[in-house]
Amino acid sequence: AISVVYNGVDIARFHPRNKQWRGEVRRRHGFGEEFLLLFVSNNFRMKGLSFLIRAMAKLKDRHGRAVRLLILGRDRSDPYRRLAEKVGLGKDVVFGGTTMEIEKYYGASDLLVHPTFYDACSLTVLEALASGLPVVTTSLNGASGVLEQGRDGWILEDPRDMEGLCRAIEYFLDETRHRTACEQARQKGEACSETVHFLRMKEIFGQVLGGH
């Protein structure tokens, strides 16, 4: 038998109370009260950033609510800045560089979007959930196994599916649905805590050693 144990996350550091930094972080990067998407990666290509930017352009064409994107990471930004300009999102896509206080950025955002082509088990996804942030990701991310479709997140089969990505973001623009998803995200994060991780590993080792 194969047991799957997801990464553990620090649920004290990553907590909904980090929403206290919402105003400060948003002002720092020129945001107001728009619906803010967060993208975190040091490999923009593998994590599907170009498809996210194009999906946002689709969303802008058909949805009245202002949606903006904050990108954190140290990859080359120039190609993606040009793409954002080309699709009419030059002012809606902001590159924030790197930070040692990522928990404040989860608190400032409304949705983590992680349309990756590969992730063994993204810790970013678990940190976001613990922070009370719903997540859009792909089935190519091992951490997608903790999500419940339409409850605390959304799972895409193909990161190149821009229409699907657009619909997933749109789904969480509904305020009532988003508020509920934030509560459920925190519950899921608590279920992936470092303590839960440790106890599950201890249990498995006990079963293995006990059988010999």
Side-chain angles (χ1 to χ4, degrees), residues 86-160:
K86 180 181 175 183
V87 298
L89 296 177
K91 294 179 180 176
D92 298 314
V93 174
V94 174
F95 290 82
T98 58
T99 178
M100 298 299 290
E101 298 178 314
I102 186 67
E103 66 275 11
K104 294 183 178 181
Y105 285 79
Y106 293 128
S109 305
D110 296 305
L111 183 69
L112 178 77
V113 188
H114 195 73
T116 181
F117 281 84
Y118 173 74
D119 248 309
C121 184
S122 169
L123 195 55
T124 299
V125 165
L126 302 180
E127 290 171 354
L129 291 171
S131 302
L133 199 60
V135 173
V136 174
T137 191
T138 69
S139 59
L140 304 169
N141 177 3
S144 67
V146 308
L147 296 173
E148 291 176 77
Q149 190 80 329
R151 289 176 61 82
D152 45 33
W154 197 275
I155 306 161
L156 295 166
E157 292 303 315
D158 185 350
R160 297 165 296 190

